């Protein structure tokens, strides 16, 4: 009886891992069991085939808690290997079999809107380099591609300042925004202090930019499990020289090893792009209400 109670308690405590790790892995065995807990005594809930890609969200000894779009459970890590996201092109990273963070509601206010998505850095400009070798330019492009897909599904007209690894002048990034309804520049942070974590958003023109920045920032904070570092004035070219509502967002610190791993995961990318889309929808909804009452 005592053993049964202990097993039940262990099973319950392992159902929801507390600390996200989000390390991408690939199955190396021809067949790998997924179990309800971290040990061979736990029941088999599924079976994986060789080369299946998954995301690790917790570790217990020699066991990984893994997730995909339709599988959650524990696998023996000996029969897996880690995958370096930098070895996968951003366009391919978008299609990886990872948990999908679905939009919480219909975003009808995005329909017909023209939105510029600026993936920061590119080409010879790598941007920040993470503690594990992540290039900011790769991560911003992956985020931009996922966000583009979500906005287009809601009927928005989306323009990317770059669609591959290329260097752009700052003036080229703002050139297409003259007729846009919103301009979003995507970045990831870095600092000499490896303890700093969190996300922040920037605006330049108070009246033109701050409503957009506020809507997106609030949505990011409501969804992301990252520290709120606030909305700030930023004297950045892509904001300063922009004639349309614009914002620059820093979606986490690559200089913090744990946060770098977390923000590199496709599950985080899915979540954060959904948050941006919902923030945009709220911005346009509020703007339409204001115009109606004028």
């Amino acid at each position: 009886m005592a053993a049964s109670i202990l097993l039940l308690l262990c099973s319950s405590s392992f159902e929801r891992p507390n600390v996200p790790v989000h390390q991408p892995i690939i199955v190396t065995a021809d067949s790998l069991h997924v179990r309800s807990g971290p040990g061979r005594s736990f029941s088999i809930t599924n079976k994986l085939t060789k080369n299946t890609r998954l995301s690790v969200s917790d570790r217990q000894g020699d066991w990984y808690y893994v997730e995909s779009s339709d599988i959650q459970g524990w696998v023996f890590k000996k029969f897996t290997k880690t995958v370096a996201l930098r070895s996968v092109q951003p366009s391919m990273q978008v299609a990886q079999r990872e948990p999908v963070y679905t939009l919480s509601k219909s975003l009808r206010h995005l329909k017909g809107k023209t939105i510029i998505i600026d993936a920061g850095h590119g080409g010879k400009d790598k941007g920040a380099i993470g503690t594990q070798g992540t290039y900011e330019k790769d991560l911003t492009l992956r985020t931009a591609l996922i966000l583009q897909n979500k906005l287009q599904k809601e009927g928005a007209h989306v323009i990317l300042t770059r669609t591959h690894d290329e260097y752009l002048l700052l003036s080229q990034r703002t050139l297409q925004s003259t007729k846009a309804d919103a301009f979003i520049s995507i970045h990831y942070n870095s600092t000499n202090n490896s303890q700093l974590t969190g996300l922040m958003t920037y605006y330049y023109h108070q009246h033109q930019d701050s409503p957009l920045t506020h809507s997106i920032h609030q949505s990011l904070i409501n969804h992301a499990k990252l520290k709120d570092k606030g909305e700030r004035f930023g004297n950045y070219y892509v904001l300063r020289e922009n004639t349309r509502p614009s914002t620059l967002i820093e979606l986490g610190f690559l200089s913090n090893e744990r946060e770098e791993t977390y923000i590199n995961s496709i599950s985080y990318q899915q979540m954060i792009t959904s948050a941006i889309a919902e923030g945009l929808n709220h911005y346009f909804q509020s703007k339409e209400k204001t115009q109606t009452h004028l």
Side-chain angles (χ1 to χ4, degrees):
M1 175 66 76
S4 299
I5 294 174
L6 178 60
L7 180 59
L8 178 61
L9 289 174
C10 289
S11 178
S12 299
S13 66
F14 289 126
E15 285 177 1
R16 294 185 180 180
N18 295 321
V19 183
V21 179
H22 298 286
Q23 170 65 51
I25 62 170
I26 189 170
V27 175
T28 56
D30 292 332
S31 178
L32 180 61
H33 289 148
V34 180
R35 296 182 180 272
S36 59
R40 296 184 187 277
S41 60
F42 290 90
S43 61
I44 297 171
T45 59
N46 219 314
K47 186 180 292 186
L48 303 172
T49 56
K50 191 172 184 178
N51 296 324
T52 300
R53 290 178 181 269
L54 303 148
S55 179
V56 175
S57 57
D58 197 14
R59 297 170 183 167
Q60 297 286 345
D62 292 329
W63 294 81
Y64 286 149
Y65 184 85
V66 297
E67 297 175 293
S68 72
S69 58
D70 55 358
I71 294 173
Q72 297 84 37
W74 295 87
V75 298
F76 194 46
K77 71 179 183 181
K78 178 181 178 180
F79 302 114
T80 68
K81 68 176 181 179
T82 58
V83 178
L85 279 171
R86 287 207 58 247
S87 67
V88 185
Q89 291 296 319
S91 58
M92 293 299 292
Q93 292 171 7
V94 173
Q96 283 193 47
R97 191 164 176 252
E98 295 277 351
V100 175
Y101 190 90
T102 56
L103 297 171
S104 63
K105 54 189 174 182
S106 173
L107 307 183
R108 62 185 181 87
H109 298 281
L110 295 176
K111 188 174 182 179
K113 298 297 191 296
T114 298
I115 300 167
I116 306 287
I117 304 174
D118 173 41
H121 309 284
K124 64 181 181 180
D125 177 12
K126 298 181 179 67
I129 300 177
T131 64
Q132 302 170 66
T134 304
Y135 287 172
E136 182 184 3
K137 67 173 185 176
D138 294 337
L139 197 52
T140 59
L141 181 57
R142 177 150 49 97
T143 308
L145 290 168
I146 297 173
L147 180 58
Q148 177 191 33
N149 290 339
K150 293 188 177 183
L151 296 179
Q152 287 178 337
K153 286 179 180 178
E154 298 296 329
H157 174 52
V158 181
I159 300 172
L160 299 183
T161 58
R162 66 182 181 97
T163 58
H164 56 281
D165 186 16
E166 65 173 324
Y167 175 76
L168 295 176
L169 297 173
L170 292 176
S171 57
Q172 292 176 283
R173 296 178 184 274
T174 58
L175 192 61
Q176 299 182 69
S177 67
T178 54
K179 296 182 179 180
D181 294 294
F183 177 99
I184 303 173
S185 189
I186 296 172
H187 290 262
Y188 289 86
N189 229 326
S190 183
T191 178
N192 291 331
N193 183 353
S194 63
Q195 300 304 308
L196 286 183
T197 62
L199 55 82
M200 60 187 75
T201 55
Y202 290 93
Y203 63 89
Y204 182 82
H205 303 283
Q206 178 70 39
H207 178 71
Q208 174 182 286
D209 301 339
S210 58
L212 173 65
T213 299
H214 180 71
S215 289
I216 291 178
H217 184 84
Q218 289 304 306
S219 185
L220 290 173
I221 295 305
N222 288 339
H223 290 80
K225 297 177 181 178
L226 293 182
K227 184 177 180 180
D228 181 1
K229 297 190 75 67
E231 304 164 37
R232 308 181 180 195
F233 170 82
N235 188 16
Y236 297 110
Y237 184 97
V238 293
L239 302 181
R240 186 181 67 246
E241 303 302 322
N242 212 313
T243 60
R244 305 300 298 159
S246 56
T247 188
L248 186 148
I249 54 181
E250 297 275 7
L251 296 172
F253 280 80
L254 292 173
S255 48
N256 179 281
E257 185 175 0
R258 186 170 186 80
E259 189 152 290
E260 178 189 9
T261 300
Y262 178 44
I263 63 182
N264 239 324
S265 67
I266 297 296
S267 55
Y268 175 80
Q269 295 287 304
Q270 290 284 356
M271 176 187 65
I272 214 72
T273 50
S274 291
I276 295 170
E278 291 188 4
L280 273 168
N281 185 71
H282 181 267
Y283 164 72
F284 290 126
Q285 182 180 19
S286 299
K287 193 172 182 179
E288 289 169 13
K289 286 182 179 178
T290 301
Q291 291 172 344
T292 301
H293 290 92
L294 290 178

